Amino acid sequence: MADQKQSGFGLWVNQHIMPPIMKFVNTKAITALQNGMVYSLPFIIIGSIFLILGNIPIKSVADAINASGWGAIFAQANNTTFQMMGLWAAIGIAYVYVKNENYEPLAPGLTSAAAFLMLQNLSIDNPLKAALTSGLTDGSMTGKVVTENIDKLPHALQSFLESPVTGVINTKWLGGDGMIAAIIVGLLVGWIYTMIMKAGWTIKMPAQVPPAVSNQFTAMIPSGVILTGSMLIYAAFNAFAHTDFLNWIYNTLQIPLQGISDSFGGAIAIGFLVPFFWFFGVHGGLIMGSLVAPMLQANTADNARLFAEGKLTIAQGAHVVTNEFYNNFINLIGSGITIGLIIFTLVAAKSVQLKSIGKLELVPGIFNINEPFLFGLPIVMNPMLAVPFFLTPLVVAASTYLVIKTGIVPPLNGVAAPWTTPAVISGFLIGGWKMAIWQACTLLISTAIYWPFARKYDKVLLAKEMKEAKQEANK
């Protein structure tokens, strides 16, 4: 009866819940967002290597690197790769959107980059003012004297300090802080470019003109319309809001969204929804990754910046829930954190089915791939394994959030370990030795939760196998 009820519930979910979700996930915008963000992945991972090299957690080594000048070189490499994820996203999203509509995609990708840059003020605050007002506020007598008397400086010097440095690109907006704006720009550029192309508003060259030249003339009108529109948007924000589009999006959208994603409730919701979708045979990691990756990557970028500045603490604004929290805890060993199930199959399973599939899953599981369990065991639509499959990510998400928030382990440092990095090793890379120990603890949590359910399921399978063997022998 329980199986029938579960099957009935599963049928209801597949008929009423999954269709609208899948319709949304497969929209042009979400597909472009999901696939376009992937283009930033090489730069994020390579930039993470430079971040590690520039911040070796051994003081003597770090001092030697900085003294040799290589610390600044590693910072330069990180700042032009990892810290430009917003720019890469703007290009990639527009590129994929237009490519999926079967038009030449490079021009709209570059148009998106130009629009993204055009929508921000090409200026930064005077670095001398920043140094005087914050860089020297270290509690020293010099710092106190300067900061307490800055308003007494000559008017000309005060005016100079208040004047921004113009004609420069503020790299703050090219990274995580500009992520939501980059997504909006990439999607709008892709959509508008496609609409103009479908309307036929293009310059058509004779067939004899080489494609490389012809494509650029074809792109001229849609790119011109988009860039002119971007200029007018910049002008409107500058005149009426006294800010720019990127700054406005950051304050009105991105900060609230990052706050939601970085909350305890956000961690719990992500931890629940990934296995929920997988249980019904839908790629939960893909769906949730599409929805939350922009905010989580922005959180990662903030932590990476704080780590490089030596300020990686919750008190100074570090985030708990980042993209690595998602990849290396909620999805550790694959969705459902199934390491406990692997251990049971290798150590205590008696049924042939669990033993054989456990051996097949061992190596993929080490690299955080658990599809052999999801579809071969199976876990998908299996009520006997539903409770640990849902419960384990929830417990791990909640406990990991709390140990970071309370300072038992430090916040994640912004290093983007590839999702296939084995457990404990990934923990060390993304948070040091304390995080590696905690990650090992989450493997024990998984084992404790899965064990009783796996043992009961194993008994059911063993009884079934023995019955089938007996029937075969009696033939």
Side-chain angles (χ1 to χ4, degrees), residues 285-303:
L286 203 59
I287 293 174
M288 292 308 298
S290 301
L291 299 177
V292 303
M295 285 77 76
L296 298 186
Q297 287 189 359
N299 293 348
T300 290
D302 288 345
N303 280 19

Side-chain angles (χ1 to χ4, degrees), residues 351-352 458-475:
S351 66
V352 175
D458 184 53
K459 289 179 179 179
V460 172
L461 293 177
L462 181 62
K464 182 180 177 182
E465 290 171 359
M466 291 177 66
K467 181 179 179 180
E468 291 175 351
K470 187 176 180 180
Q471 290 175 346
E472 187 68 25
N474 292 332
K475 285 183 179 180

Side-chain angles (χ1 to χ4, degrees), residues 408-438:
I408 296 174
V409 298
L412 300 172
N413 58 24
V415 171
W419 64 269
T420 52
T421 306
V424 181
I425 296 175
S426 65
F428 179 77
L429 293 174
I430 65 178
W433 66 269
K434 288 184 179 180
M435 194 61 72
I437 292 174
W438 173 247

Side-chain angles (χ1 to χ4, degrees), residues 241-265:
H242 305 293
T243 184
D244 60 52
F245 178 77
L246 272 66
N247 224 314
W248 183 78
I249 290 294
Y250 179 74
N251 288 301
T252 58
L253 284 180
Q254 181 156 330
I255 289 178
L257 287 174
Q258 281 189 255
I260 294 170
S261 70
D262 191 34
S263 65
F264 182 78

Side-chain angles (χ1 to χ4, degrees), residues 170-231:
N170 189 344
T171 56
K172 164 187 171 71
W173 302 117
L174 302 186
D177 287 353
M179 183 59 72
I180 300 301
I183 291 170
I184 294 172
V185 169
L187 291 175
L188 286 176
V189 168
W191 177 67
I192 295 170
Y193 192 98
T194 299
M195 292 299 101
I196 294 174
M197 293 293 289
K198 288 182 176 180
W201 299 355
T202 60
I203 298 175
K204 292 180 171 55
M205 303 297 290
Q208 294 80 6
V209 177
V213 176
S214 177
N215 287 337
Q216 307 320 307
F217 278 92
T218 301
M220 197 167 295
I221 290 178
S223 293
V225 169
I226 291 167
L227 294 177
T228 301
S230 300
M231 179 192 68

